[in-house]
Structures are given as C-alpha cells and as structure tokens.
Amino acid sequence: MKTYLLASLAILLVCCAVGPTFAADSDAEVEALVFPDSYTASSVSNGGTINGVVKFEGDVPEMKMLEITKDQAVCGATEKYDEAVVVGEGNALKNTIVYLIDISQGKDFDKATKLEMDQQGCQFTPHVQIVPVGVRLTMLNSDKVNHNVHIFSSVNKPVNKQQTKNRRKMPLAAVKKAEGPVSVKCDIHGWMSAWIAYVPHPYFAVTNEKGEFTLEDVPAGTYKLGYWHEACGSNSEAPVSVTVEAGGTVTQDFALKLK
Amino acid sequence: MIFCLTQSVKLHGWLDNVLYFRSANLRCRFAAVVLFLILGVFSMLTVADAQNAPEASEKGKEVYEQSCAHCHGTEGRGDGAAAENLLPQPRDFTRGLYKIRSTESGELPTDQDLFDIITEGMPGSSMPGWETALSANERWEVVAYIKTFHSGFKEREAPPREISLEGKIPFSEESVEIGKGLYTELGCIECHGNVGRGDGTSAPTLTDAWNFQTWPANLTQGWTYRGGADTEDIFKRFIGGIAGSPMPAFEGDSFLHFGLTSEESKRLTELENMDEMTEADEEASNQFYEKMDEAVNVALTRAEGTELTAAEQRMYDDAMKIVYEKSWHLANYVKSLMPEERPEPAIGNNVLRSQYVQGGLPTIDDAAWETSEARYFPLVGQIIVEPRQFNPTIDAISVKSFYNDTEVVFLFTWDDRTYTTGDETDETTGKPLEDALAVQFPVKVPQGPTAPKPYFLGGGRLPVYLWHWKASAPEQVTELTAKGINAAEVQEVQADLQVKSTYTDGQYQLWVKRALKTEDKKDLQLESGVFVPIAFSAWDGSNGDIDTKRTITSWYTFVLEPVPSSRRFVYPPLIALLSFGLLIGLRAAVQRKNLEKLST
C-alpha cells in the first residue's frame, strides 16, 4: 500500500514538474519508397529504356560546410559539405532515386555488380546506395580511423557495428525485406550521413552529378515512375505515368523543390 | 521503523529514480532484510514463469495505463504527459529499440529481459524500478502488453538469439591487461575516452535514434549503468550493442582477425608490418585473408538465418571461442575501471576530515594526497527553482583536505565529460556556458542543531560564504556572499586564495588553499575541531548548466580534525544525525516544492 502511495506521489511529482522543453532536431518523417506486392524475375528481351534528368527548382541552397570535430588529419584534410542537396551545373540534382513503383515482372538483378559503400575522408560514398534484397553490401573503410556503421532499419534488423581502422572491408548480412531509404550514420563522426534503399527489383536508379538516370530493359507497358530525394521528398502520392514500348526509349524529366 | 521501511522501499523506487537519489546510506538494515525475504519469494515465483510473458490481456493494459502511460504514452510512443522534461526520453516502444538485452545485435529482447528491466528500472534515467510497486504477475502482464506496440515481436519467426555466457574468464590482472588493449583496439575510446569517463572525442556530438543528445556512459561509475554493472552485464552490453543509442555492437567479426587463431593473428600482424614481403610471405598472408573471409562468410550466413553445415558450424564456433575470450577480458577491464560499490556519501563516519600536517601543505600533484581517503558528495539536478536541471551529467564530487597551523587546502575532484570554457552561450540569457564549481560554507558556523540553518535554495535565513571557480579562469576562485540561490554578490574584499586546477581524461581537479583566519567579516573563520557545514554546486557547460540550472548537494559537514591524535576521532552522534537529517531535508524540500506546484 505504502509503495502505491509513493508511486502515485512520484507520478504526481513527475507530472507537475515543469521545465524547459528540449529541441530535438525536427525530424520530419522520411518518406518511403513504394514496392510492388510481389516481383517475379525472368529474362527480358527487347525491353525499353526510361531515362531523364532531375533538376532542382527554386533558389539553390548553399551547401553547408561540415564542422569536422575530430580526426582532423584524415577527416579534415579537405573541406567537406553536407550532401543533402547536391546541385550541379544547370541545376542538375544528384542523389535522387528514380524507380518503377508498380512493376511485378522483369529482369533479374545484375549479380556481377559489387555492392560497396566506402567511408572515405569521413564521408560515405555513394551518398545514396541501392541494395537488392538478399545481397550483401560491403562497407569499405579507406580511412585509417575507426568508424561505426549505423543503419537505422526498422523493417529489417537495425545494424550498428564498429568497423575499426584496420578493417578495410566489412560485408554486412543481406536483408530479407524491401525497405527504405533508411538513414546510415557514423556516430563516431556525427556528420557522416548516407542512405540505403533495400529493393526487391532492379528498376531503381540514382541520379548522377548531371542529374541523369536510366532504367534499362523495362518490359513494354505502362508504369508509375516514382522519385525520392532526401530533401525534396517523393511523389509516391502522385507518380508520373510512363509508357514504354518494346525497344523504345522514353524520356521523363523531373523538377524538384525543397519539401 | 516505519520510516526505515519507507526508506528502503523507496531505495529501489520511484523517488530515487526521479530524484537520482540512490544513496545506500538510507538503507535500514533490518527492513532491508525483511524486504529481501519478501522479494526472494517473489523472484522464486517468477522463476516458475520465467522466459515468456502471457498473452496480452486487459490486465496488462490496465497496469500500463495506470503506471506507465504518463511517461510512455497511451500508444507507447514515449510521449506521455510527463515525458517533456525527461532525458533520455521515455522509450517509444513502437520502434522496437531496446537498450538492455541479453540478445544479439539487431534482435529484440527476450521477455525475461523486459521483465528484468521493468523490475530493476534504469539508473541514470527516470525509468523507475517496479519491484515493489507492481506484483510479479502484474509485471509479466505489462511485458505482454508493451510488446503489442511493436509488430516485430509478433512477426518474429524464431526466438531471439541470446548471447552465450559460457566460458567466463575470471577477473585477474592479466585479464584486465588484455582487456585494456582491446578497449583501444576496438575503439571504445572514441566515445568512452582514455580511461572510460565518457569523455571520448566523439562524446559531445552523439545523438540517439530520436535525435536527442546523449552521452556515453562514464564507465568508472557502474551505478549509473542502465543495465547493471556486473561483468556479465557489461559483456552482454557491448556484444549486443545498445539499440537506440549510438553504442555499436562488438560481435564476431568486429574483432581484429576474426577467424584466425591468436598465433595466426600475431603472424599476420607481423606480415602486415613488413616493409617488403617475399613471395612466400605474400602467399601466407593471402591464406590468412582467405581464412578470415571464410569465417566472416559463415558468420553472415548464420546471421541471415541460414542453417550452417557441420563444418561451417565448427568453423564458426572456433572463431567465436576466441572472440568470446577476448570479450571476457574486455568486460573484466571495464569492470576494473569502477569501484566495487558506489562510495558512501560523506556523512556519519564518512564526514570530511581535514588532516593536520606540520609544515607545508601538499601542492596539487603531491603524492601526499594519495594517503588521504576521498570523501564523496553525490550531486543531484537542481529542480526547485527555474531554470532547472532535470538531466544532470555530473554525478558527484570527491574531496580531500589537509591543514596546518595557518592554512587549509582542499582538493576537489569531479568528472565532467567535456572541457567547456564559455565559447558557446546560453540561448535565453546570452551568458557563456562553462564548467564551474561553487563551494558553500555558512558565514558563521551554526551552534547546535537548533540554530538556524544557512540558506538552502532560497529558503534559509543566514547568508553563505561561497567559493566560485570557473573553467575559463582556471587559477582563480572568487569569494561571494549569497543570501539566496539567485542572490550572490562578489565580496569587496577578496582573500588571498591560491588556486590550481587541471582537466585530464574527463576529470577536473581543483586545488584551493586559504588561510584559516582572514580579516574579512564576511568570510568563514576556521578552527580545529569545529564542525562546519559545506555544500557544493557544479555546472557542466556542455549540458546547458547555467545559473540555477546546475547540480547541487545538500549540506554536509567538514571538520579540521584536532591534532595530532593516534586515536580515531569520534564524531558526536549529533553531527551524524544532523547531516542525515539535512539529506532527508533536501528530499523533503524537493517534494514540498513539487506538491506546492501541484496545488496551484
């Protein structure tokens, strides 16, 4: 009885204690990619191509210089910038995922490509990495410093694993489910940030510094074409419809604004 | 007796967690024994239903809504009414991130893990222990209920993989030495610092999965660990990682040369350090790399949930045997960083005694300090006056003192993860944020227990005499007179105080020397054999401490021990009682203040 009294007293104490509120970074919910319910891989002959350019619309925000707080010799050798918005010549927007939302049948993954993400000069490269479900991603450590690879998965198991300075290659267990993009961080170097999308089919592309993307070997048909960008959001609510003809090429450009 | 009982009930209870009071001194032995027996029966009952919680039921929901929802939120999102001020925040159960697990990295906790953490609470946070407030049955019911907030529990196909505790290597100096090497090799140092005080170079920039600032544990203070500081606890924590926090998992192939025997590993290191390799060397090292790749491959296959062949299993077990050995050494090293128990606060027999020496007093780095036992003053966040500190980062201050015929010298020691000297400013006041310490004495020593107490937190009647030290002026202490927590004035006449300070590996040392007697009426005059009240405030600039937002102690006592006596100095029971009373008084003050708030 006494303990209950105490407990409720303490509850009251906690409830009525007023103090400052903490300002956590406003962590706007990250929009997710949309995956088909199922996907069957088969050989695709005479598929079409979807390509295009993603541009940034509006005043281009100045790239924020990163504050390098440790391991200066390795991390601070050159100036580093926040890669949330990377806009190139002609407003080309890098690091945008462009993908087919509703494809249920098509080619298989290219098994030969090595999937790697490097930690170089205390930045992740690439900044956005597509990883097929069931395939291992290898984390590289080109820096002679300790990193920890922290992948904030929630559908799959979250990962937070130290990759010490002498571990050049660290393959990670393959995941079972499509998910993402999920945030990747290194807590040791708090500014390091990247994204991984675990995908169930190969029709995903990430725009290069010219804003270009290409999806090849698309079976003829009409598809919803989606995009995702870290700072500009996604169009999963209202994707663009594209029709691909056998052997043909369609071009679909995008102009994205900050969320 | 009833008083004692409530004290020991509280010991694991609510208030202790909320107010960060876990002082063992409040233990009342007899009551504790009785309680222990009762709890023993409880835990026997729980062994019977160990491991798996019942199906989620109305009962669990009821318990949850009554006892947990005001912090964890009705929907388990960690957004209850009381959550606002708390750091770490009450857990958001919907993401399935659990810190204290006996399971491997990436796995959810076992039911037993959840039951245990609910029973014990999480020191260093506001998460209370429910050992006494809820029956074992109720705790199991609530375990089942909180699992419903995250679909992963229902969806998981196999029971979570638990970390094996087999093959524990007993504590020994050699083991600690090996562990120390691993602490550096694995990079614990990045966050926890050279000697574990949580002052690593990454410490100031860490955030948790909800983007709130978080600090690495001060490994030298086992009592602040969320999940217990037994060697086994430590072992499980770094192998499984602390989900939701920046703390990584250090399992299997996180260790150097996973898959090689220790001889092979040594050889490979030699080879790698060679300037020039012969063909044979090259061959040999490639073989080692292949062997490691195979071992990693097997570990990943296992992690992906694929059944291993007998040969693969053997390879995995061999590799893990070495990793587990290393892990025990590392756990032993971490264990070696902390005292066996949290030191007793400086009351009763532990009153701070300044020891008499003839001649010169020791300088800051004098070996003489080693001969004196430190007295320990636990700090709590100041939450009575605005601005308040609900999430203190300084745990306690340790003090040693010597005096001679004319002077007294103090050595104050406290852990602070960052060295902050005012480069950044407080947003509301615009004042620089910096580390600081204040030592308070009454201006006049109260005579007897009925004399008015010096002010405490604005409530008292007598002014206090203060020493104020700031990290930005490391060789200077300012004398102040204060009549309330917000009413301190710099004294016009500053005594000739000698001051030195150091900051090393997350620890401050402050050395202050003053004459026993001064000319200034506003100063405290010291006399051997007189019990003098003493209290402390500490500011951690990087934790936003400023003005009344700080950590404080209640009033304690110190005495210039009369000289020189071979007999142990006997403390009048009155003094012991007085300081005990004051400690309780601080609690009462906090309670009263909060109740006042409630009624308005």
Side-chain angles (χ1 to χ4, degrees):
Chain A
M1 191 52 218
K2 200 148 245 145
T3 45
Y4 275 104
L5 272 177
L6 278 170
S8 38
L9 176 70
I11 290 166
L12 294 176
L13 289 185
V14 171
C15 292
C16 63
V18 267
T21 34
F22 311 107
D25 291 354
S26 68
D27 182 28
E29 195 96 339
V30 176
E31 290 174 55
L33 300 170
V34 183
F35 305 114
D37 293 335
S38 69
Y39 182 76
T40 323
S42 56
S43 67
V44 174
S45 59
N46 204 20
T49 300
I50 305 172
N51 62 16
V53 175
V54 179
K55 294 207 164 160
F56 185 82
E57 196 179 295
D59 294 334
V60 179
E62 203 173 312
M63 272 177 99
K64 227 178 37 209
M65 190 151 101
L66 295 172
E67 193 192 342
I68 307 301
T69 46
K70 66 178 279 175
D71 294 328
Q72 291 300 342
V74 174
C75 310
T78 58
E79 283 177 359
K80 300 261 150 56
Y81 295 89
D82 183 348
E83 294 178 305
V85 184
V86 181
V87 178
E89 224 168 285
N91 280 11
L93 185 61
K94 198 183 170 187
N95 294 330
T96 314
I97 298 176
V98 181
Y99 70 111
L100 294 184
I101 290 182
D102 55 349
I103 192 162
S104 58
Q105 199 164 12
K107 69 174 169 182
D108 203 353
F109 289 107
D110 178 3
K111 295 258 160 56
T113 42
K114 270 203 185 149
L115 278 172
E116 292 177 337
M117 186 183 261
D118 198 359
Q119 296 156 96
Q120 198 177 31
C122 307
Q123 263 188 317
F124 291 109
T125 35
H127 183 67
V128 176
Q129 176 66 282
I130 304 288
V131 178
V133 166
V135 176
R136 290 176 187 167
L137 169 71
T138 299
M139 298 301 300
L140 305 180
N141 184 354
S142 303
D143 299 333
K144 289 231 150 41
V145 300
N146 296 322
H147 288 299
N148 71 304
V149 179
H150 196 163
I151 306 177
F152 290 76
S153 306
S154 55
V155 175
N156 294 291
K157 290 178 182 177
V159 174
N160 186 1
K161 206 167 165 184
Q162 194 98 335
Q163 184 166 13
T164 52
K165 55 177 153 233
N166 34 37
R167 186 89 192 273
R168 251 159 289 164
K169 285 186 178 186
M170 182 169 83
L172 299 176
V175 306
K176 289 209 169 69
K177 297 183 196 133
E179 176 184 16
V182 292
S183 161
V184 185
K185 276 180 66 178
C186 167
D187 300 278
I188 292 177
H189 307 97
W191 63 85
M192 290 174 67
S193 163
W195 298 89
I196 291 178
Y198 295 108
V199 302
H201 64 77
Y203 298 100
F204 286 81
V206 182
T207 56
N208 59 18
E209 44 286 320
K210 293 185 187 147
E212 300 162 340
F213 69 90
T214 311
L215 298 170
E216 283 171 331
D217 306 319
V218 183
T222 299
Y223 301 97
K224 290 179 189 159
L225 187 65
Y227 69 76
W228 177 95
H229 183 273
E230 169 178 2
C232 301
S234 77
N235 65 343
S236 52
E237 306 270 274
V240 182
S241 183
V242 287
T243 302
V244 184
E245 273 159 33
T249 297
V250 267
T251 299
Q252 173 68 53
D253 296 337
F254 293 97
L256 312 191
K257 292 188 208 139
L258 283 181
K259 264 196 283 214
Chain B
M1 175 57 218
I2 286 188
F3 177 66
C4 287
L5 191 60
T6 51
Q7 286 307 332
S8 55
V9 167
K10 278 200 234 169
L11 200 68
H12 289 283
W14 264 97
L15 281 170
D16 296 296
N17 284 296
V18 173
L19 303 179
Y20 295 87
F21 275 120
R22 266 177 225 92
S23 33
N25 61 294
L26 296 178
R27 211 180 293 136
C28 186
R29 305 274 148 147
F30 177 66
V33 169
V34 172
L35 204 76
F36 209 76
L37 288 177
I38 299 170
L39 297 177
V41 176
F42 269 130
S43 45
M44 268 150 65
L45 287 177
T46 63
V47 171
D49 22 41
Q51 268 308 319
N52 285 311
E55 290 292 300
S57 67
E58 268 310 300
K59 177 74 193 147
K61 181 168 185 212
E62 213 173 274
V63 174
Y64 181 82
E65 282 175 358
Q66 222 162 55
S67 305
C68 325
H70 53 279
C71 282
H72 291 286
T74 353
E75 321 235 303
R77 291 184 204 285
D79 57 355
E84 194 179 24
N85 299 309
L86 305 174
L87 255 195
Q89 287 262 282
R91 188 62 45 75
D92 160 9
F93 295 130
T94 63
R95 281 176 65 181
L97 295 172
Y98 286 92
K99 288 184 178 175
I100 307 306
R101 297 170 293 106
S102 58
T103 56
E104 292 181 5
S105 170
E107 299 272 15
L108 290 167
T110 63
D111 289 359
Q112 188 71 46
D113 287 338
L114 292 173
F115 180 84
D116 290 345
I117 203 74
I118 293 168
T119 303
E120 303 281 333
M122 297 174 88
S125 88
S126 56
M127 169 66 192
W130 296 90
E131 184 158 21
T132 51
L134 295 177
S135 73
N137 238 341
E138 287 168 319
R139 277 175 271 145
W140 279 115
E141 296 280 357
V142 84
V143 165
Y145 187 67
I146 60 174
K147 283 168 65 187
T148 64
F149 291 127
H150 177 67
S151 58
F153 283 105
K154 216 155 85 219
E155 285 161 14
R156 67 179 163 193
E157 289 142 17
R161 285 192 165 123
E162 290 186 57
I163 295 163
S164 159
L165 295 175
E166 272 169 47
K168 178 178 173 181
I169 296 174
F171 189 90
S172 70
E173 256 171 56
E174 300 87 78
S175 172
V176 166
E177 201 49 40
I178 300 171
K180 187 175 180 183
L182 288 161
Y183 180 81
T184 310
E185 183 178 293
L186 290 168
C188 311
I189 254 178
E190 307 281 358
C191 297
H192 292 287
N194 286 335
V195 297
R197 295 205 186 97
D199 61 317
T201 44
S202 293
T205 57
L206 299 180
T207 54
D208 68 13
W210 295 268
N211 273 335
F212 285 95
Q213 180 168 36
T214 184
W215 295 99
N218 181 333
L219 298 178
T220 67
Q221 297 167 349
W223 53 93
T224 63
Y225 288 15
R226 303 284 190 274
D230 288 344
T231 312
E232 285 82 356
D233 296 324
I234 297 165
F235 181 85
K236 286 187 281 191
R237 264 339 68 76
F238 69 77
I239 292 179
I242 302 181
S245 97
M247 164 95 176
F250 294 81
E251 38 159 27
D253 64 324
S254 313
F255 285 76
L256 183 68
H257 298 162
F258 178 71
L260 301 188
T261 64
S262 44
E263 288 78 42
E264 289 169 333
S265 169
K266 226 182 269 163
R267 179 74 191 126
L268 180 58
T269 308
E270 276 169 21
L271 289 170
E272 282 175 339
N273 288 335
M274 277 182 179
D275 290 334
E276 244 173 84
M277 278 203 227
T278 65
E279 221 161 276
D281 291 339
E282 198 113 3
E283 174 98 354
S285 61
N286 281 341
Q287 264 173 11
F288 288 141
Y289 288 129
E290 262 164 47
K291 190 170 176 206
M292 291 189 320
D293 284 349
E294 264 174 69
V296 170
N297 182 37
V298 168
L300 291 180
T301 308
R302 177 183 173 278
E304 286 156 1
T306 313
E307 194 92 27
L308 298 185
T309 64
E312 285 174 335
Q313 187 66 48
R314 227 174 304 119
M315 179 189 278
Y316 179 74
D317 291 344
D318 287 348
M320 285 306 285
K321 186 161 175 281
I322 294 162
V323 165
Y324 272 118
E325 274 171 24
K326 288 183 176 177
S327 299
W328 283 116
H329 293 312
L330 177 57
N332 280 335
Y333 170 68
V334 173
K335 187 73 195 164
S336 78
L337 298 172
M338 66 190 87
E340 242 159 74
E341 274 183 57
R342 185 178 191 177
E344 297 279 333
I347 60 170
N349 282 338
N350 294 319
V351 155
L352 174 62
R353 288 176 283 160
S354 186
Q355 282 170 278
Y356 179 81
V357 287
Q358 232 150 11
L361 292 172
T363 55
I364 186 165
D365 47 11
D366 200 308
W369 291 111
E370 305 289 321
T371 65
S372 153
E373 212 182 306
R375 292 299 180 231
Y376 184 80
F377 302 85
L379 288 153
V380 295
Q382 188 290 115
I383 60 166
I384 297 169
V385 185
E386 284 281 4
R388 306 154 203 247
Q389 180 49 280
F390 288 94
N391 308 292
T393 43
I394 306 178
D395 178 65
I397 167 160
S398 293
V399 187
K400 296 178 176 184
S401 174
F402 289 102
Y403 75 105
N404 61 18
D405 296 326
T406 54
E407 290 174 311
V408 61
V409 64
F410 289 93
L411 188 64
F412 306 105
T413 307
W414 70 101
D415 289 4
D416 180 328
R417 292 181 178 86
T418 48
Y419 177 66
T420 318
T421 56
D423 297 337
E424 278 174 39
T425 52
D426 178 51
E427 270 172 31
T428 38
T429 61
K431 290 190 203 167
L433 288 166
E434 65 174 312
D435 299 335
L437 185 78
V439 188
Q440 309 182 33
F441 308 94
V443 175
K444 284 220 171 56
V445 178
Q447 305 293 318
T450 52
K453 279 182 266 172
Y455 101 88
F456 186 72
L457 297 172
R461 282 153 280 177
L462 293 177
V464 296
Y465 165 64
L466 275 167
W467 288 349
H468 192 216
W469 173 88
K470 295 193 275 190
S472 59
E475 311 246 306
Q476 184 188 329
V477 159
T478 309
E479 288 183 310
L480 308 171
T481 307
K483 292 212 171 91
I485 192 155
N486 270 329
E489 270 173 31
V490 176
Q491 289 190 1
E492 281 145 35
V493 187
Q494 292 285 322
D496 185 18
L497 292 172
Q498 288 187 51
V499 182
K500 288 259 175 327
S501 68
T502 59
Y503 179 81
T504 330
D505 290 334
Q507 188 170 69
Y508 277 109
Q509 288 213 311
L510 170 63
W511 176 95
V512 182
K513 192 162 84 170
R514 203 204 80 170
L516 295 176
K517 308 269 180 212
T518 67
E519 301 286 300
D520 191 350
K521 278 215 190 71
K522 290 182 170 163
D523 292 355
L524 168 74
Q525 306 302 324
L526 288 166
E527 221 164 291
S528 144
V530 175
F531 287 85
V532 181
I534 185 170
F536 304 91
S537 293
W539 289 261
D540 176 359
S542 63
N543 195 37
D545 287 359
I546 189 138
D547 298 333
T548 58
K549 188 175 176 195
R550 65 200 204 204
T551 47
I552 56 172
T553 70
S554 71
W555 283 101
Y556 287 83
T557 314
F558 100 95
V559 61
L560 304 181
E561 187 165 46
V563 272
S565 142
S566 54
R567 265 188 313 134
R568 209 178 138 70
F569 189 67
V570 183
Y571 296 96
L574 198 63
I575 291 293
L577 211 69
L578 185 70
S579 37
F580 182 74
L582 285 169
L583 202 65
I584 303 298
L586 174 58
R587 247 173 212 256
V590 171
Q591 284 173 23
R592 207 170 40 242
K593 194 74 195 175
N594 279 290
L595 285 175
E596 268 167 30
K597 266 246 133 74
L598 189 72
S599 55
T600 54

